[in-house]
Amino acid sequence: MKSELAPDATGARAANAPPSVYTALDHLATMVAIVQADGRCVFANAAFENVLGLSRRSVLRGSLFDWFVDSQPLRDTVAAVVRNEFSISRLEAQLRRPASTHGDALPVHVIVNQMDRSNSVVIELVEIEQQTRQDREERALDQAQANKELIRNLAHEIKNPLGGIRGAAQLLEMEVESRALTEYTQVIIQEADRLQALVDRLLAPHRKPHVVSDVNVHEVCERVRSLILAEFPRGLTVARDYDISIPDFRGDREQLIQAVLNIAHNAAQALAERIMLGDASITLRTRIARQVTLGKQRYRLALELHIEDNGPGIPESIRDRIFYPLVSGRDGGSGLGLTLAQTFVQQHQGMIECESVPGKTCFKIVIPLP
């Protein structure tokens, strides 16, 4: 039977050609692999490598079947396609993700296609949740923009009468002679100053100029690590897991330090009980992701910075709202740390994502690289 896949794309000429011929497949958003009948992977594109969270060398080292929860249906399908019983076949499967925060499997739609005059097949994997994730990212971007406008307008509306209230309290304090009344005016002034400080924090990301320079992400991580360990010197370890091949990029170093620090500091505070037990842990992990879509734009390379902790996890009641302003899962928290972190990262065309279950929470910062 004739293959339904174009011969000039992955047909006979490509089957006998060196792997460099397959590099065009790196530009696809879906996962594609060239696989022999026994499951040995000849080629895996960048999307496949990115979803597994492993290097291409690691993916090619073993059998593709090893990456599936139940590989037998796929083994049977590949064998049938190689025997020319079908030119194309489809099935649903569960793809293992070793580098996933929770180690959970990814539901995928698998398409197995013949290659002309070859014992290899083309396997394409389409994430069943891919569209759902894209919709979620678009909603997050829209919500962040709406939050930004709301915060800016609200802060300006609060700031003007706040100055009048504080000034009136100062004038009143100068006129009264009773010490008890002076204490009341002091309360007004102090509360006005506290609200003013809150307003300034809300407006800070929009006021401070974006200072662009060459940024090394590991210098950012080391600065944050030293600050966290200085505040929590006992009972907490901050581990490093760096990919030193990540290049410098253009960005605002201080904003990125603040973004990572806000996340790491929240993690450290959430680890209070484990710090007392002496087994609290935060991991800073850097990786390169390929063919990443951010804000409806596709980038060839992107930085992934994971801030992972072994704390109790984010309460389910606020898990979908943690980046909203004034939402906090901690008593006494301002609810601004993650909002500001998301704002700073978005100013670098990036995005912050979060996965959390009891015992493991991971914030992932994704920023495009040149």
Side-chain angles (χ1 to χ4, degrees):
M1 296 179 68
K2 183 175 177 56
S3 169
E4 296 182 15
L5 200 63
D8 58 346
T10 53
R13 283 173 289 176
N16 298 318
S20 59
V21 174
Y22 302 145
T23 54
L25 300 176
D26 280 334
H27 298 286
L28 296 179
T30 54
M31 294 170 277
V32 178
I34 310 296
V35 180
Q36 294 185 342
D38 60 359
R40 189 172 70 85
C41 195
V42 178
F43 174 82
N45 73 341
F48 202 107
E49 178 184 359
N50 186 40
V51 170
L52 284 180
L54 299 171
S55 68
R56 186 168 299 179
R57 182 176 299 177
S58 298
V59 175
L60 299 182
R61 200 170 324 184
S63 169
L64 181 79
F65 299 142
D66 294 339
W67 302 116
F68 289 85
V69 175
D70 181 8
S71 63
Q72 194 57 48
L74 181 58
R75 291 174 187 270
D76 296 340
T77 302
V78 169
V81 171
V82 169
R83 290 195 303 266
N84 205 29
E85 294 179 16
F86 309 101
S87 62
I88 185 172
S89 186
R90 302 169 183 264
L91 69 153
E92 307 295 325
Q94 298 277 328
L95 182 68
R96 300 182 193 275
R97 292 188 294 175
S100 170
T101 304
H102 314 315
D104 51 350
L106 177 70
V108 291
H109 181 71
V110 184
I111 306 169
V112 183
N113 205 319
Q114 284 181 337
M115 294 180 65
D116 288 345
R117 296 180 295 279
S118 171
N119 286 328
S120 298
V121 296
V122 179
I123 295 181
E124 182 179 7
L125 307 180
V126 181
E127 295 181 47
I128 295 175
E129 297 179 355
Q130 187 175 38
Q131 186 60 49
T132 303
R133 188 177 68 251
Q134 290 175 351
D135 292 342
R136 187 168 61 246
E137 288 179 359
E138 290 181 13
R139 285 197 303 271
L141 288 171
D142 292 341
Q143 184 64 51
Q145 185 61 36
N147 286 342
K148 189 184 302 182
E149 293 301 321
L150 173 64
I151 289 172
R152 186 182 303 172
N153 294 334
L154 183 62
H156 281 297
E157 289 297 323
I158 293 174
K159 185 176 181 181
N160 292 333
L162 202 58
I165 292 171
R166 190 183 192 284
Q170 286 178 314
L171 292 174
L172 184 61
E173 186 177 48
M174 290 169 29
E175 296 293 330
V176 298
E177 297 180 358
S178 169
R179 181 176 179 84
L181 293 178
T182 301
E183 290 180 358
Y184 294 149
T185 57
Q186 278 297 310
V187 169
I188 297 173
I189 293 171
Q190 290 169 6
E191 287 302 295
D193 289 341
R194 185 179 65 81
L195 290 175
Q196 181 65 56
L198 177 62
V199 170
D200 288 340
R201 287 188 65 191
L202 289 170
L203 290 174
H206 313 295
R207 284 176 169 172
K208 194 173 180 180
H210 197 52
V211 181
V212 177
S213 61
D214 288 334
V215 177
N216 183 304
V217 67
H218 299 123
E219 291 179 358
V220 171
C221 291
E222 287 300 297
R223 174 73 178 278
V224 170
R225 183 175 184 272
S226 63
L227 290 171
I228 293 296
L229 289 177
E231 185 173 352
F232 303 91
R234 295 183 180 83
L236 173 65
T237 60
V238 181
R240 309 175 179 97
D241 183 4
Y242 297 159
D243 180 351
I244 60 173
S245 68
I246 296 176
D248 291 357
F249 60 96
R250 301 290 289 175
D252 189 319
R253 183 173 180 271
E254 294 304 317
Q255 282 190 355
L256 291 175
I257 289 174
Q258 190 63 56
V260 178
L261 180 61
N262 286 357
I263 296 171
H265 194 264
N266 281 356
Q269 290 178 323
L271 288 166
E273 292 185 7
R274 283 192 172 273
I275 288 176
M276 293 177 64
L277 295 173
D279 64 349
S281 172
I282 296 175
T283 301
L284 302 176
R285 180 182 300 110
T286 59
R287 293 292 185 267
I288 288 181
R290 293 178 172 81
Q291 304 302 329
V292 174
T293 300
L294 293 168
K296 300 182 180 179
Q297 185 171 346
R298 191 156 185 81
Y299 297 94
R300 186 177 64 87
L301 294 175
L303 158 70
E304 284 190 358
L305 170 56
H306 301 249
I307 302 106
E308 183 179 302
D309 69 74
N310 63 342
I314 298 169
E316 190 173 353
S317 59
I318 64 169
R319 201 168 293 166
D320 295 333
R321 300 181 290 117
I322 55 173
F323 294 108
Y324 289 11
L326 308 180
V327 174
S328 176
R330 179 173 53 86
D331 291 341
S334 67
L336 294 177
L338 292 180
T339 302
L340 296 179
Q342 185 75 281
T343 298
F344 290 146
V345 171
Q346 286 179 346
Q347 288 178 354
H348 291 78
Q349 289 75 51
M351 174 70 69
I352 304 178
E353 301 173 350
C354 177
E355 295 182 19
S356 180
V357 294
K360 183 176 290 187
T361 296
C362 182
F363 282 86
K364 180 173 72 174
I365 298 175
V366 185
I367 296 176
L369 291 174

